[in-house]
Every structure is written in structure tokens, then in C-alpha cells.
């Protein structure tokens, strides 16, 4: 089974004795099941601002690997401004890495640390985070060979996702649902792509690191966000009825705390998914 680590290396809302922001290396192992395991690997270490370089990150990764007992198969990281430093540190250690917004395990842990660690630190200094704003990429059209025959916006009750591990799925990925605190009947919206070439489409999507789906209302497009910054046009919504469906999808996604899904099937009567990804839109600031 592939072992993935999710990595962040960035400043935290904590000041050191000199009044400078502390930085932190944080690593959370990716969990791909809807039920959280009893334990999972995590690593965190604060560093001062003058230690922010690829050598420091390499040292932290070496320590994390020693604690874990073995290196990960690959590393995901979401912060584009830190791309060069993280990529150099990982490459120098022979660790495959990739920009990816599919970092739910890390996001959940950082939220916990915000409440349990940062806020209780004597140097805690809440306030806006000064970051580098990077523009969104223009959406790319899907290759013709990877377009489905048709698609549908649907929903499942939140309780149904507990059975995810029993479904027949060829490609895809999930994440733990603990902590969302959604009522069982909450509608979880999703998009199903139906295609005679379902398997090749699902395999291609798997390589893109699906992050989340969005409705770009000004452009009237349904977009798939992947990797660190890529965006793909899944459908042009040229009629009011489709635009209304997409608006309802967006509202349902917000009500479900960003939780939604993307699926690929050969046809509506199929008893298996060529692809199924749980998705969650995250505030990756």
C-alpha cells in the first residue's frame, strides 16, 4: 500500500522571544479510509525565521523518517510559494514530491494544532497571515478522449458514505469523516461521469490528484481543481436549468462543510465505480 505524507513548512501565529514569527515543519500521513485509524504518523517541529531553508527542511525530514521507521513513497504539499524549497529538500533526499491540494489529513491536524498548540503558546499572536497570493490558473479544456458520454449532479446522504469501504472501486481515494459532525441525512453532493471508456478516464483522473469541484458562475462552467493549481473545464453550463443545478450543488457543498465527491461509471446501472473520490474544498491559506 502506498504511503503518502502531507507536508507543510510555513510561519505560524506565534512570536519568538525576539518578536519574530516562528515557522513549523508539519507532516501528517495521508489516511485514505472514511474511518480514522487508531493512530497515524505525525511530526512537527518549530524553527526560527533564520532557519527557513531547504537544509533545515531536509534535517526535519530525516528526523521524521527515523521516527517513522521508513520513508514515505511520496510527499504532497499545497503551498505554491514554498514550491522551490520543498522540492529541493525532497529531491536531495530522493523523496518523490508533488504539489497537491489533496491534503485533508494535514488540514485537519493543523486545525487541531491551532486550537490545542498555537493558541496556548505564550507567544501566540493571532492575526492575518501575510502570505504570497498566487493567481488562479486559467481552466484547461479536457482532452477529447477523456470526455464522458454524459454527466449528472447527484447527492448521497452522509450516512451512506460510511459504507464506502464496501463499494467496488477501481481508482479513487477517501479520507476520514470524523470531525465533520454532519447529521446522517445531510445531502452530500457529487458529480458522476458516465462513459463507455470509464476505466481510462478514471485512471487519468487519478493521476491528476483531484482536489475539489467548483462552479465558476461568471463563466458558467463546472470546474475540476487538481494538483497544486490546475483547473479543468468539465462542462459548459449554457442553459439556465443547468446553472440552477450547479448553484444548488454549490449550496449543498457549503452546507456539507465542503464535502462532496466525483465518480466515474460505465453506465447508471453499473454495480461498481471505475473511479470515486471523496473531495473537500479546503481554505488552504
Amino acid at each position: 500500500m502506498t504511503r503518502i505524507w502531507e507536508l507543510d513548512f510555513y510561519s505560524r501565529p506565534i512570536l519568538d522571544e525576539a518578536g519574530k514569527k516562528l515557522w513549523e515543519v508539519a507532516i501528517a500521513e495521508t489516511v485514505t479510509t472514511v474511518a480514522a485509524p487508531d493512530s497515524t504518523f505525525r511530526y512537527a517541529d518549530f524553527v526560527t525565521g533564520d532557519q527557513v531553508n531547504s537544509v533545515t527542511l531536509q534535517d526535519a525530514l530525516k528526523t521524521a523518517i527515523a521516527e517513522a521507521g521508513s520513508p514515505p513513497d511520496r510527499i504532497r504539499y499545497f503551498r505554491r510559494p514554498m514550491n522551490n524549497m520543498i522540492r529541493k529538500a525532497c529531491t536531495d533526499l530522493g523523496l518523490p514530491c508533488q504539489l497537491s491540494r489533496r491534503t485533508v489529513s494535514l488540514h485537519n491536524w493543523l486545525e487541531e494544532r491551532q486550537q490545542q498548540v498555537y493558541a496556548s503558546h505564550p507567544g501566540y499572536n493571532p492575526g492575518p497571515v501575510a502570505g504570497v497570493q498566487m493567481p488562479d490558473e486559467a481552466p484547461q479544456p479536457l482532452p477529447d478522449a477523456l470526455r464522458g458520454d454524459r454527466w449528472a449532479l447527484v447527492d448521497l446522504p452522509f450516512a451512506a458514505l460510511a459504507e464506502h469501504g464496501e463499494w467496488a472501486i477501481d481508482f479513487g481515494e477517501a479520507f476520514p469523516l470524523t470531525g465533520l459532525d454532519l447529521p446522517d441525512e445531510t445531502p452530500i453532493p457529487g458529480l458522476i461521469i458516465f462513459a463507455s471508456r470509464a476505466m481510462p478516464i478514471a485512471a487519468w483522473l487519478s493521476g491528476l490528484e483531484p482536489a475539489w469541484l467548483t462552479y465558476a458562475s461568471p463563466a458558467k462552467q463546472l470546474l475540476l481543481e487538481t494538483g497544486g493549481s490546475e483547473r479543468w473545464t468539465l462542462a459548459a453550463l449554457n442553459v439556465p436549468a443547468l446553472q440552477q443545478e450547479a448553484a444548488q450543488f454549490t449550496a449543498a457543498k457549503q452546507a456539507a462543510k465542503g464535502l462532496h465527491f466525483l465518480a466515474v461509471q460505465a453506465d447508471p446501472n453499473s454495480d461498481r465505480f471505475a473511479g470515486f473520490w471523496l473531495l473537500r474544498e479546503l481554505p488552504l491559506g
Side-chain angles (χ1 to χ4, degrees):
M1 185 175 178
T2 301
R3 189 183 192 192
I4 305 170
W5 284 0
E6 299 169 13
L7 166 69
D8 190 30
F9 188 23
Y10 211 63
S11 64
R12 300 299 185 228
I14 300 172
L15 301 182
D16 62 18
E17 294 179 356
K20 304 293 185 181
K21 276 204 170 182
L22 283 179
W23 284 58
E24 182 182 49
V25 179
I27 297 170
E29 186 171 359
T30 298
V31 179
T32 59
T33 58
V34 294
D38 292 335
S39 63
T40 184
F41 179 73
R42 291 173 172 177
Y43 172 89
D45 186 31
F46 289 117
V47 301
T48 58
D50 58 359
Q51 296 175 302
V52 177
N53 54 58
S54 62
V55 174
T56 297
L57 181 54
Q58 280 186 52
D59 290 341
L61 285 166
K62 290 177 184 176
T63 302
I65 290 169
E67 290 185 7
S70 61
D73 295 291
R74 59 190 171 98
I75 289 177
R76 291 169 169 163
Y77 60 98
F78 67 86
R79 290 196 196 272
R80 283 189 283 165
M82 302 300 293
N83 178 61
N84 292 341
M85 190 180 299
I86 293 175
R87 185 166 293 277
K88 176 171 174 50
C90 292
T91 300
D92 288 351
L93 292 175
L95 298 172
C97 63
Q98 63 191 126
L99 269 169
S100 175
R101 287 170 288 180
R102 193 172 181 86
T103 51
V104 179
S105 296
L106 176 63
H107 171 81
N108 291 342
W109 188 41
L110 291 179
E111 282 196 331
E112 288 180 24
R113 289 183 65 75
Q114 172 63 38
Q115 302 301 321
Q116 300 173 9
V117 179
Y118 310 152
S120 61
H121 193 284
Y124 182 56
N125 183 43
V129 177
V132 178
Q133 298 299 316
M134 305 188 76
D136 290 333
E137 292 191 9
Q140 307 173 60
L142 283 177
D144 290 341
L146 297 168
R147 290 188 175 276
D149 302 325
R150 62 191 185 92
W151 56 269
L153 290 171
V154 297
D155 61 65
L156 290 170
F158 179 65
L161 295 177
E163 302 173 1
H164 173 272
E166 303 172 15
W167 300 346
I169 301 172
D170 295 299
F171 295 92
E173 190 176 322
F175 47 77
L177 301 175
T178 52
L180 285 171
D181 298 323
L182 294 172
D184 286 349
E185 65 277 10
T186 303
I188 307 302
L191 172 75
I192 299 183
I193 299 171
F194 299 108
S196 56
R197 300 180 69 256
M199 196 69 73
I201 291 175
W204 180 78
L205 287 171
S206 184
L208 293 180
E209 294 273 307
W212 55 73
L213 298 164
T214 57
Y215 170 43
S217 54
K220 297 179 174 58
Q221 294 176 330
L222 191 61
L223 303 179
L224 171 62
E225 310 264 356
T226 68
S229 58
E230 296 83 9
R231 312 170 85 207
W232 304 85
T233 302
L234 292 179
L237 309 179
N238 298 320
V239 298
L242 292 178
Q243 294 161 21
Q244 180 62 28
E245 274 193 67
Q248 292 170 350
F249 167 86
T250 300
K253 184 176 69 171
Q254 292 173 345
K257 300 182 180 179
L259 185 65
H260 56 299
F261 63 88
L262 170 66
V264 182
Q265 283 187 301
D267 61 71
N269 298 316
S270 176
D271 61 356
R272 69 182 301 112
F273 292 100
F276 189 98
W277 292 266
L278 271 182
L279 309 173
R280 190 178 179 201
E281 188 165 353
L282 302 174
L284 301 179

